């Protein structure tokens, strides 16, 4: 696995999964389903493993090479597997090398990548939240096998007993490791991968946690009672649609903002107000480019509660018209390039026109744009801007991690039904 493949954004990992489904490859999807203690990534982190290596990351690189070997076994058997890496034990350094940074136990689900995962990537591409529900065990049966080099694996049968097709049992009823359903919050319904209703799943118990985790883009393990009385342990992986960052401007200082924002999982749109610039060639990292006029932004863009905006055209009139539209929208973040006095001039111009803004509308405005990092070069400024947008998107107040109480990553707490 190369360093460049390890460090790709999550959005690119999902796109690679989509591409893999459209090819003849035999990939394996590795997903962290549970963490005890500390770990580099949290549940829901994914990595695509194929015969060419890996794309994405689930640790800082401690176990990825071993995962390639585990993935090969899954690829050969065609069956999912669960593996556990204990990086807390006294012999962890002997197994994984000196100086292991993660002091935790990481539980990973390995699955042959097939059509049952397509609804997830298609929802992501369409900008829709989705929750992927995957059975980890039934009736409390756990994975079998002996510890080997710090890794625990099952016997290839998912540890749930049987093939899920016993006489008198609904073949759509969840009961095997890897059985899957989906929850789309905009539909409010649990479905199988073929789009049919998941009537054999305990939808009443799972829909609440699925809706919550899909909106938050978080993941957790939920234990519920199935319709046939089985105790099901289900991994609910909420995959939130990527946040949008719309950058208004075509100057050379826009390039670093686009590049860094794409690498931090924003889906970036560059908007230009002058048709003379070839936006696609100037900003190849952008997901989309739009050429329009400041007065028709509502027609050219769909600005909603996921839309973050940075206005940096360096043209006073263009900036003012764009800011007016954005402040009237649901965008939670409107960053405006320039000194504070520049926006004061805009307010005077708005006032002369009889245009006013409420305090609530002005809360989304960040000007001067960016965090106070002290840098002045193009990439330092871009880090400042993207860092601020990322903090707003993640509902964080920027600060030093050494001043943060508790864990670095937020722990998931869903309102799940009591365990059977």
């Amino acid at each position: 696995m190369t360093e460049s493949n390890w460090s790709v954004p999550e959005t690119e990992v999902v796109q690679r999964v989509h591409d893999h489904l459209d090819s003849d490859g035999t990939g394996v999807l590795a997903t962290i389903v549970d963490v005890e203690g500390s770990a580099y990534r949290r549940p829901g982190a994914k990595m695509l493993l194929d015969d060419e290596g890996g794309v994405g990351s689930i640790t800082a690189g401690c176990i990825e090479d071993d995962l390639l070997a585990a993935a090969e076994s899954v690829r050969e058997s065609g069956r999912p597997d669960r593996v556990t890496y204990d990086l807390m034990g006294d012999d962890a350094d002997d197994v994984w090398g000196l100086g292991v940074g993660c002091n935790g136990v990481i539980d990973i689900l390995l699955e042959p990548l097939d059509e049952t995962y397509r609804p997830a990537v298609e929802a992501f591409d369409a900008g829709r939240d989705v929750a992927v529900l995957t059975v980890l065990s039934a009736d409390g049966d756990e994975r079998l096998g002996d510890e080997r080099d710090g890794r625990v694996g099952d016997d290839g049968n998912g540890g749930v007993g049987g093939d899920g097709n016993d006489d008198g049992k609904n073949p759509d009823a969840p009961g095997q490791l890897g059985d899957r359903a989906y929850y789309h919050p905009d539909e409010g319904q649990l479905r199988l991968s073929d789009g049919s209703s998941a009537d054999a799943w305990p939808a009443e118990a799972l829909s609440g946690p699925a809706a919550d985790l899909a909106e938050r883009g978080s993941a957790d393990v939920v234990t519920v009672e199935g319709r046939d009385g089985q105790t099901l342990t289900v991994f609910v992986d909420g995959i939130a649609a990527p946040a949008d960052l719309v950058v208004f401007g075509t100057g050379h200082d826009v390039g670093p903002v686009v590049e860094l924002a794409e690498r931090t999982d924003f889906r970036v749109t560059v908007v230009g107000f002058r048709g003379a610039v070839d936006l696609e060639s100037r900003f190849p990292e952008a997901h989309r480019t739009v050429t329009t006029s400041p007065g028709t932004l509502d027609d050219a863009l769909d600005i909603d509660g996921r839309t973050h905006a940075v206005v940096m055209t360096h043209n006073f009139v263009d900036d003012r018209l764009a800011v007016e539209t954005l402040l009237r929208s649901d965008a939670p973040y409107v960053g405006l390039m320039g000194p504070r006095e520049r926006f004061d001039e805009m307010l005077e111009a708005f006032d002369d026109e009889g245009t006013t803004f409420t305090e609530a509308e002005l809360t989304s405005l960040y000007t001067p744009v960016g965090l106070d990092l002290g840098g002045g070069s193009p990439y330092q400024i871009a880090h400042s801007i993207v860092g601020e947008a990322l903090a707003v998107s993640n509902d964080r107040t920027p600060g030093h991690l050494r001043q943060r109480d508790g864990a670095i990553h937020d722990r998931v707490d869903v309102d799940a039904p009591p365990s059977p």
Side-chain angles (χ1 to χ4, degrees):
M1 182 179 64
T2 65
E3 181 178 351
S4 60
N5 284 342
W6 173 85
S7 59
V8 300
E10 289 290 292
T11 49
E12 185 169 338
V13 174
V14 176
Q15 182 58 52
R16 295 287 191 94
V17 170
H18 201 166
D19 294 343
H20 217 281
L21 290 174
D22 292 335
S23 70
D24 296 327
T26 55
V28 174
L29 184 65
T31 306
I32 295 180
V33 296
D34 196 22
V35 170
E36 177 187 345
S38 300
Y40 184 77
R41 303 292 307 277
R42 301 306 300 169
K46 297 172 183 60
M47 184 177 182
L48 174 61
L49 303 157
D50 57 25
D51 50 8
E52 296 181 359
V55 177
S57 61
I58 51 180
T59 72
C62 320
I63 63 175
E64 268 72 353
D65 288 340
D66 189 81
L67 268 181
L68 290 173
E72 181 61 29
S73 297
V74 170
R75 188 180 297 112
E76 291 176 356
S77 69
R79 290 170 150 178
D81 193 7
R82 285 173 68 187
V83 293
T84 299
Y85 294 91
D86 186 349
L87 305 181
M88 298 179 69
D90 294 336
D91 59 347
D93 284 346
D94 295 334
V95 175
W96 307 113
L98 296 175
V100 173
C102 303
N103 188 27
V105 179
I106 307 171
D107 195 14
I108 299 171
L109 175 65
L110 294 165
E111 305 171 275
L113 191 57
D114 58 27
E115 286 296 312
T116 64
Y117 205 76
R118 187 176 290 277
V121 294
E122 289 186 343
F124 188 86
D125 287 348
R128 300 172 62 199
D129 296 342
V130 64
V132 184
L133 296 88
T134 308
V135 172
L136 299 182
S137 68
D139 278 340
D141 290 337
E142 298 295 339
R143 53 199 177 280
L144 308 175
D146 299 323
E147 292 190 4
R148 181 178 60 82
D149 294 339
R151 187 179 79 206
V152 179
D154 74 4
D155 63 353
N157 292 319
V160 295
D163 59 7
N165 293 313
D166 294 338
D167 291 341
K169 297 185 71 175
N170 188 335
D172 292 331
Q176 274 193 296
L177 175 69
D179 284 348
R180 176 169 290 140
Y182 293 89
Y183 183 86
H184 297 284
D186 52 357
E187 297 178 358
Q189 187 174 6
L190 206 66
R191 295 187 180 276
L192 300 178
S193 57
D194 63 2
S196 61
S197 180
D199 295 329
W201 286 65
E204 298 85 355
L206 291 169
S207 294
D212 181 20
L213 292 167
E215 180 182 1
R216 295 161 59 183
S218 300
D220 198 9
V221 175
V222 178
T223 301
V224 298
E225 184 175 318
R227 292 189 179 277
D228 58 0
Q230 281 185 314
T231 298
L232 294 175
T233 302
V234 181
F235 176 60
V236 184
D237 185 13
I239 303 177
D244 292 312
L245 182 69
V246 182
V247 185
F248 296 86
T250 59
H252 293 292
D253 57 343
V254 172
V257 174
V258 174
E259 180 182 340
L260 292 177
E262 281 284 342
R263 288 185 175 274
T264 51
D265 288 310
F266 281 108
R267 189 164 283 178
V268 181
T269 297
V270 176
V271 178
F273 295 144
R274 303 292 179 266
V277 177
D278 183 352
L279 298 181
E280 290 188 7
S281 62
R282 177 171 287 191
F283 306 109
E285 295 91 355
H287 178 75
R288 180 188 178 208
T289 60
V290 174
T291 299
T292 186
S293 64
T296 59
L297 292 184
D298 285 331
D299 296 330
L301 300 170
D302 183 14
I303 302 172
D304 58 22
R306 292 186 188 273
T307 306
H308 304 68
V310 177
V311 182
M312 48 193 306
T313 73
H314 303 288
N315 179 296
F316 185 83
V317 175
D318 289 349
D319 281 3
R320 184 165 64 88
L321 292 172
V323 166
E324 180 179 4
T325 299
L326 292 166
L327 292 182
R328 304 291 193 204
S329 73
D330 294 328
Y333 176 85
V334 180
L336 174 62
M337 178 76 79
R340 187 172 291 104
E341 293 76 15
R342 189 166 183 264
F343 182 65
D344 291 338
E345 293 178 17
M346 287 188 183
L347 287 178
E348 292 178 4
F350 284 131
D351 188 60
D352 292 340
E353 298 171 352
T355 300
T356 60
F357 300 96
T358 66
E359 287 297 321
E361 289 173 330
L362 291 174
T363 56
S364 64
L365 181 69
Y366 292 75
T367 188
V369 65
L371 301 176
D372 184 9
L373 301 181
S377 70
Y379 273 93
Q380 290 173 338
I381 294 171
H383 273 286
S384 169
I385 294 172
V386 175
E388 184 176 65
L390 194 62
V392 172
S393 178
N394 290 329
D395 195 25
R396 287 290 182 89
T397 299
H400 296 288
L401 285 177
R402 70 176 182 177
Q403 297 172 333
R404 178 177 171 82
D405 294 331
I408 293 175
H409 302 288
D410 289 334
R411 296 308 192 246
V412 175
D413 183 16
V414 298
D415 186 13
S419 300

